[in-house]
Coordinates of all heavy atoms in Angstrom, one line a residue:
K177 N 10.6 3.8 29.6 CA 10.1 2.5 29.7 C 8.5 2.5 29.8 O 7.9 1.7 29.1 CB 10.6 1.8 31.0 CG 12.0 1.4 30.9 CD 12.6 0.9 32.2 CE 11.8 -0.3 32.8 NZ 12.4 -0.9 34.0
Q178 N 8.0 3.4 30.5 CA 6.5 3.5 30.6 C 5.9 4.0 29.3 O 4.8 3.6 28.9 CB 6.1 4.5 31.7 CG 4.6 4.6 32.0 CD 4.0 3.3 32.4 OE1 4.6 2.6 33.3 NE2 2.8 3.0 31.9
T179 N 6.7 4.8 28.6 CA 6.2 5.3 27.3 C 6.0 4.1 26.3 O 4.9 4.0 25.7 CB 7.2 6.3 26.7 OG1 7.4 7.4 27.5 CG2 6.7 6.8 25.3
V180 N 7.0 3.3 26.2 CA 6.9 2.1 25.3 C 5.8 1.2 25.7 O 5.1 0.6 24.9 CB 8.2 1.4 25.1 CG1 8.2 0.3 24.1 CG2 9.3 2.4 24.7
F181 N 5.6 1.0 27.0 CA 4.6 0.1 27.5 C 3.2 0.7 27.1 O 2.3 -0.1 26.6 CB 4.6 0.0 29.0 CG 3.4 -0.8 29.6 CD1 3.3 -2.2 29.6 CD2 2.4 -0.1 30.2 CE1 2.2 -2.8 30.1 CE2 1.3 -0.7 30.7 CZ 1.2 -2.1 30.6
D182 N 3.0 2.0 27.3 CA 1.7 2.6 26.9 C 1.5 2.5 25.4 O 0.4 2.4 24.9 CB 1.7 4.0 27.4 CG 1.4 4.1 28.9 OD1 0.7 3.2 29.4 OD2 2.0 5.0 29.6
L183 N 2.6 2.6 24.6 CA 2.5 2.5 23.2 C 2.0 1.1 22.8 O 1.2 0.9 21.8 CB 3.8 2.9 22.5 CG 4.2 4.4 22.5 CD1 5.6 4.6 22.0 CD2 3.2 5.2 21.8
H184 N 2.6 0.1 23.5 CA 2.2 -1.3 23.2 C 0.7 -1.4 23.5 O -0.1 -2.0 22.7 CB 2.9 -2.2 24.1 CG 2.5 -3.6 24.0 ND1 1.3 -4.1 24.6 CD2 3.0 -4.7 23.4 CE1 1.1 -5.4 24.3 NE2 2.2 -5.8 23.6
Q185 N 0.2 -0.9 24.6 CA -1.2 -0.9 25.0 C -2.1 -0.2 24.0 O -3.2 -0.6 23.7 CB -1.4 -0.4 26.4 CG -0.9 -1.3 27.5 CD -1.7 -2.6 27.5 OE1 -2.8 -2.7 28.0 NE2 -1.1 -3.7 27.0
S186 N -1.6 0.9 23.5 CA -2.3 1.7 22.5 C -2.6 0.8 21.2 O -3.7 0.7 20.7 CB -1.6 2.9 22.1 OG -2.3 3.7 21.2
V187 N -1.5 0.2 20.7 CA -1.6 -0.7 19.5 C -2.5 -1.9 19.8 O -3.4 -2.2 19.0 CB -0.2 -1.1 19.1 CG1 -0.4 -2.1 17.9 CG2 0.6 0.1 18.6
E188 N -2.3 -2.5 21.0 CA -3.1 -3.7 21.3 C -4.6 -3.3 21.3 O -5.4 -4.0 20.7 CB -2.7 -4.2 22.7 CG -3.6 -5.4 23.1 CD -3.2 -5.9 24.5 OE1 -2.1 -5.8 24.9 OE2 -4.1 -6.4 25.2

Side-chain angles (χ1 to χ4, degrees):
K177 286 174 59 173
Q178 184 63 40
T179 300
V180 182
F181 173 79
D182 286 326
L183 289 173
H184 175 284
Q185 288 294 283
S186 180
V187 174
E188 178 183 328

